[in-house]
């Protein structure tokens, strides 16, 4: 195989992942033409890649108008990944334990490139349920977890990572960079961060890091609770979350 062929296939692989990421972000079936416009790729390239992905069931046709969406083969690949990925399996147990002790919604959260995402969630044991869309990307500065997941980076690395528009909060105000960096440094020292959610007006978010052997946060465990309950049970929720995160870190680093 020539070097040009290798590079051409690598570019095709990058485009294929662009297609999958775009469909995941949009969250609905699209025509190849719309996908090409969305990812800024030549239509002929996208049509060729879509045909290949359909053949391998990575994509599936939807309806009769040429729409395609993420295929069930991705589900089976994901299940195979989970069976052999200790973090997800162990985190699932940790989240259940947090719910049993606090009755609040618990989450495992990760960085997904330049964004933040909820990877796993257990809903709280309440009549009023708080939940999030698993796998949906959000700006890192909007999250309590983001302060902890970036704590190992330098200021310049953080500046380079965060999209400029992500400092604009849902209420239209801009989060000052200096404040964001200071919160990251303090969260790294404390091994914990919490604040009233900027995405809504009624929840408080707690986050604690799960660190690898080098002390880098590979994910966070979180509690999302109504603000009144968070205030009344703050110390207990903080203790349970930190203990759960440290216990999970010990198990996956053994």
């Amino acid at each position: 195989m020539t070097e040009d062929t290798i590079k051409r296939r690598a570019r095709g692989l990058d485009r294929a992942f662009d297609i999958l990421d775009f469909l995941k972000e949009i969250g609905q079936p699209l025509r190849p033409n719309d996908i090409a416009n969305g990812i800024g790729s030549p239509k002929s390239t996208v049509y060729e890649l879509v045909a290949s992905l359909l053949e391998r069931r990575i994509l599936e046709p939807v309806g009769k108008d040429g729409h395609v969406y993420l295929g069930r083969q991705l589900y089976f690949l994901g299940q195979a990944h989970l069976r052999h990925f200790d973090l997800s399996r162990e985190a699932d147990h940790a989240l259940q334990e947090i719910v049993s002790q606090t009755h609040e919604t618990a989450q495992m959260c990760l960085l997904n490139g330049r964004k933040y995402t909820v990877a796993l969630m257990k809903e709280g044991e309440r009549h009023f349920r708080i939940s999030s869309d698993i796998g949906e990307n959000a700006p890192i500065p909007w999250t309590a977890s983001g302060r902890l997941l970036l704590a190992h980076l330098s200021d310049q690395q953080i500046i380079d990572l965060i999209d400029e528009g992500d400092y604009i909060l849902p209420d239209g105000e801009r989060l000052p960079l200096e404040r964001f960096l200071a919160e990251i440094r303090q969260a790294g020292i404390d091994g914990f961060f919490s604040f009233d959610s900027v995405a809504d007006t009624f929840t408080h978010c707690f986050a604690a890091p799960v660190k690898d052997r080098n002390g880098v946060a590979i994910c966070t465990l979180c509690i999302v609770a109504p603000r009144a309950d968070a205030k009344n049970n703050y110390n207990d929720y903080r203790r349970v979350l930190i203990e759960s995160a440290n216990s999970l870190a010990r198990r996956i680093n053994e």
Side-chain angles (χ1 to χ4, degrees):
M1 188 179 298
T2 67
E3 184 175 349
D4 286 343
T5 300
I6 294 172
K7 289 181 178 179
R8 187 165 57 253
R9 290 191 174 183
R11 288 194 297 270
L13 185 60
D14 285 340
R15 290 295 189 189
F17 279 114
D18 287 342
I19 291 170
L20 299 178
D21 287 339
F22 185 66
L23 285 170
K24 172 181 171 292
E25 181 180 347
I26 295 300
Q28 64 182 28
L30 294 173
R31 295 185 181 93
N33 188 52
D34 298 322
I35 296 172
N37 291 333
I39 67 175
S41 183
K43 295 177 183 178
S44 59
T45 299
V46 170
Y47 273 96
E48 182 178 347
L49 288 171
V50 165
S52 180
L53 293 170
L54 284 168
E55 182 179 349
R56 289 164 174 79
R57 293 178 296 154
I58 300 298
L59 295 180
E60 291 184 352
V62 178
K64 300 179 179 179
D65 297 322
H67 290 74
V68 298
Y69 195 58
L70 303 176
R72 67 191 66 187
Q73 185 66 17
L74 293 173
Y75 171 80
F76 295 126
L77 292 172
Q79 289 299 305
H81 167 71
L82 289 175
R83 284 195 297 271
H84 296 279
F85 188 33
D86 288 341
L87 175 58
S88 293
R89 183 171 59 250
E90 295 292 342
D92 187 74
H93 297 314
L95 296 182
Q96 188 58 61
E97 183 61 26
I98 291 170
V99 173
S100 69
Q101 293 188 57
T102 67
H103 308 295
E104 305 291 0
T105 294
Q107 301 172 339
M108 183 187 79
C109 304
L110 303 164
L111 291 183
N112 183 20
R114 303 161 71 91
K115 303 294 181 180
Y116 151 99
T117 191
V118 177
L120 292 173
M121 182 181 68
K122 295 290 185 182
E123 289 189 342
E125 297 172 347
R126 293 174 170 273
H127 294 298
F128 174 69
R129 299 293 180 89
I130 296 173
S131 63
S132 300
D133 291 331
I134 295 176
E136 181 176 342
N137 289 332
I140 296 172
W142 293 16
T143 69
S145 292
R147 273 73 174 169
L148 296 158
L149 293 168
L150 301 183
H152 64 288
L153 300 178
S154 70
D155 287 359
Q156 189 58 54
Q157 287 174 318
I158 294 169
I159 292 169
D160 293 341
L161 176 69
I162 304 296
D163 293 326
E164 190 65 23
D166 286 356
Y167 292 105
I168 306 299
L169 302 177
D171 62 3
E173 291 191 12
R174 182 180 183 82
L175 175 65
L177 175 61
E178 296 77 11
R179 174 182 158 192
F180 183 54
L181 293 174
E183 289 175 345
I184 290 171
R185 298 304 164 219
Q186 191 60 51
I189 293 170
D190 296 340
F192 174 80
F193 190 81
S194 80
F195 68 172
D196 286 343
S197 172
V198 300
D200 61 59
T201 59
F202 58 89
T203 62
H204 188 90
C205 301
F206 301 76
V210 178
K211 296 182 179 181
D212 64 15
R213 292 186 179 89
N214 297 317
V216 175
I218 55 178
C219 69
T220 60
L221 297 184
C222 308
I223 293 173
V224 184
R227 291 185 182 180
D229 295 288
K231 181 178 180 181
N232 293 334
N233 299 285
Y234 188 91
N235 290 332
D236 284 341
Y237 288 3
R238 184 180 191 274
R239 174 187 56 79
V240 168
L241 195 61
I242 291 175
E243 289 178 355
S244 297
N246 290 341
S247 177
L248 176 57
R250 286 193 296 270
R251 294 199 300 274
I252 64 175
N253 288 322
E254 287 178 350

